[in-house]
Each structure stands twice: as structure tokens, then as C-alpha cells.
């Protein structure tokens, strides 16, 4: 990742509370498909402020969160302690951090698009493991404002996993956890 991106995330997390984080809702796509996730070893790539990770940890999964932000990780540690939840954390740049092969029963990747990770996600899931992912997708009304490659192309996410069992795929304008809407692609797919 570039220094600019690293500073962007450090700045964005500069005003986090010094105590535990307030509750953050899990993604709608996770709520919809959590029933198919084996509640065992889950990794949340670019875990952020942990809405999804805590949601699954509270439901018995053993969750590892990876994020480049040390500030976010510290806030997550305080929050886990406060809520009595176990959340393992690694502070690492996913541009270079190698995911271990054949390790996870589920991979979550929400609003962090790193195409380098696609083959690693494939390898790091165990057979029968599930990937839940959501990322911004091309939106003709916004495309010019974005950095190249920041958004998925149409059906790109589907094509990246089309040899797996696609349990669901949706592309279009979707609501986030709040009232706002955005063009996203969402996939729920199982490794054979
Ligand atoms: C938009 S937030 C998404 C957080 C979370 N997945 C969610 O949906 O709420 C993106 C996250 O990616 C992290 N991130 C950005 N670049 C990264 C990199 N190269 N390696 C690891 N984490 C990164 C940021 O620190 C930030 O927490």
C-alpha cells in the first residue's frame, strides 16, 4: 500500500475513543448469509472497526482480524476485552502479508478490494469453506471520481470464483448498514 493510503487510514482512525468502540452493525450481506458460515476459524480481511468480526465472535466463531491500522487494532483489543469476546488480531499490510494456505472455514472481505488477494483467498479456505465478500462496483455516475481499479468491473467478482459453488451473487445499488446506498457487488460462495 502507498504511504498516502496508510496515512489516510491512520488519519481516519485518529479520533477513535480511548475506551471501547460503540457497537457497529454487521453488514446486511453477513446477516443474510451467516447461516452457511461454519462457526469455526474465520478471517476478516481489513477488519476495520470490527462490526462483522464481533458479530461472528459473539456467535461462537474463532475470528482473526487483519488490518493495516494499528489504531484500529488497539481499539478492537479494548472493545473485545470490554465485551468479553475473543478476537485475534494481526496488524499487517495485505499487499504483502501472505495468507496461510488451507487454514480458514470462512473468509470475510468487506469494502476492501485487493485483487492480489483473490488467489490467496482461494488457497487459504479449506474445502467446504465459505467466502463472503462485498465491494464497490463500477457505477457510471461516479466512475470518473474514483482511482482506477478502486471498483470492481461488472461481474468481475463472480468471474473470479465461478468455478466454486455460488450460493448467491448480487450486483447493483445496495443499502449499507445505515440508510445510505451504493453500487456494490456481493458474493457468497463455497469452495468445493
Ligand atoms: C472501508 S474499511 C472496511 C472495514 C470493514 N471491512 C468493514 O466493512 O467495516 C477498509 C479497511 O481496510 C484497511 N486497509 C486498507 N488498506 C489495507 C492494506 N493494504 N492491508 C490491510 N488493511 C488495509 C483499512 O485500515 C480499513 O480498516
Amino acid at each position: 500500500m502507498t504511504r498516502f493510503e496508510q496515512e489516510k487510514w491512520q488519519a481516519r482512525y485518529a479520533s477513535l475513543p480511548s475506551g471501547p468502540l460503540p457497537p457497529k452493525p454487521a453488514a446486511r450481506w453477513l446477516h443474510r448469509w451467516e447461516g452457511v458460515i461454519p462457526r469455526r476459524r474465520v478471517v476478516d480481511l481489513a477488519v476495520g472497526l470490527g462490526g462483522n468480526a464481533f458479530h461472528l465472535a459473539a456467535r461462537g466463531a474463532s475470528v482473526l482480524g487483519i488490518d493495516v491500522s494499528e489504531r484500529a487494532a488497539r481499539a478492537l483489543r479494548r472493545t473485545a476485552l470490554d465485551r468479553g469476546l475473543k478476537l485475534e488480531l494481526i496488524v499487517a499490510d495485505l499487499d504483502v502479508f501472505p495468507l496461510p494456505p488451507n487454514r480458514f472455514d470462512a473468509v470475510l472481505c468487506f469494502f476492501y478490494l485487493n485483487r492480489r488477494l483473490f488467489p490467496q483467498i482461494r488457497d487459504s479456505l479449506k474445502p467446504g469453506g465459505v467466502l463472503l465478500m462485498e465491494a464497490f462496483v463500477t457505477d457510471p455516475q461516479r466512475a470518473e471520481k474514483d482511482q482506477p481499479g478502486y471498483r470492481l468491473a461488472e461481474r468481475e467478482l463472480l468471474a473470479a470464483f465461478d468455478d466454486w459453488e455460488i450460493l448467491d451473487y448480487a450486483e447493483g445499488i445496495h443499502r449499507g448498514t445505515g440508510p445510505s446506498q451504493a453500487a456494490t457487488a456481493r458474493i457468497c460462495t463455497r469452495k468445493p
Side-chain angles (χ1 to χ4, degrees):
M1 90 186 303
T2 63
R3 200 182 166 79
F4 170 77
E5 286 169 323
Q6 198 162 6
E7 282 170 4
K8 179 181 96 175
W9 287 109
Q10 280 296 87
R12 199 164 293 185
Y13 290 141
S15 55
L16 291 177
S18 55
L21 294 165
K24 181 178 184 318
R28 287 172 192 276
W29 192 241
L30 175 58
H31 278 295
R32 178 141 164 210
W33 283 104
E34 64 184 296
V36 302
I37 294 181
R39 302 281 165 87
R40 294 189 292 270
R41 191 100 179 101
V42 177
V43 65
D44 188 346
L45 303 174
V47 59
L49 300 183
N52 297 330
F54 282 127
H55 182 82
L56 288 182
R59 286 156 183 78
S62 163
V63 184
L64 166 67
I66 304 178
D67 200 285
V68 75
S69 169
E70 179 65 54
R71 280 186 180 144
R74 280 202 299 264
L76 290 175
R77 287 193 190 102
R78 291 193 294 273
T79 309
L81 207 62
D82 182 67
R83 295 190 200 165
L85 292 173
K86 197 165 170 288
L87 181 61
E88 196 185 335
L89 289 161
I90 294 178
V91 175
D93 180 352
L94 285 163
D95 274 347
V96 290
F97 183 80
L99 296 180
N102 197 30
R103 177 70 62 89
F104 302 110
D105 300 291
V107 172
L108 309 184
C109 188
F110 282 79
F111 297 101
Y112 172 64
L113 176 58
N114 183 340
R115 293 169 175 85
R116 168 191 170 270
L117 288 179
F118 288 0
Q120 293 210 39
I121 289 172
R122 297 175 68 95
D123 286 351
S124 70
L125 271 170
K126 297 178 192 167
V130 171
L131 166 67
L132 280 190
M133 180 167 172
E134 178 166 13
F136 294 114
V137 73
T138 301
D139 177 350
Q141 303 203 315
R142 282 192 48 97
E144 284 175 18
K145 295 183 204 156
D146 295 325
Q147 297 163 1
Y150 170 75
R151 286 174 180 265
L152 289 159
E154 276 177 36
R155 298 177 77 80
E156 178 184 354
L157 188 55
L158 188 59
F161 294 94
D162 66 354
D163 53 335
W164 286 15
E165 183 189 358
I166 305 292
L167 301 173
D168 200 1
Y169 178 78
E171 199 175 290
I173 304 296
H174 295 125
R175 269 184 67 193
T177 50
S180 65
Q181 297 190 330
T184 69
R186 301 165 155 182
I187 198 165
C188 175
T189 182
R190 189 186 279 134
K191 181 172 177 171

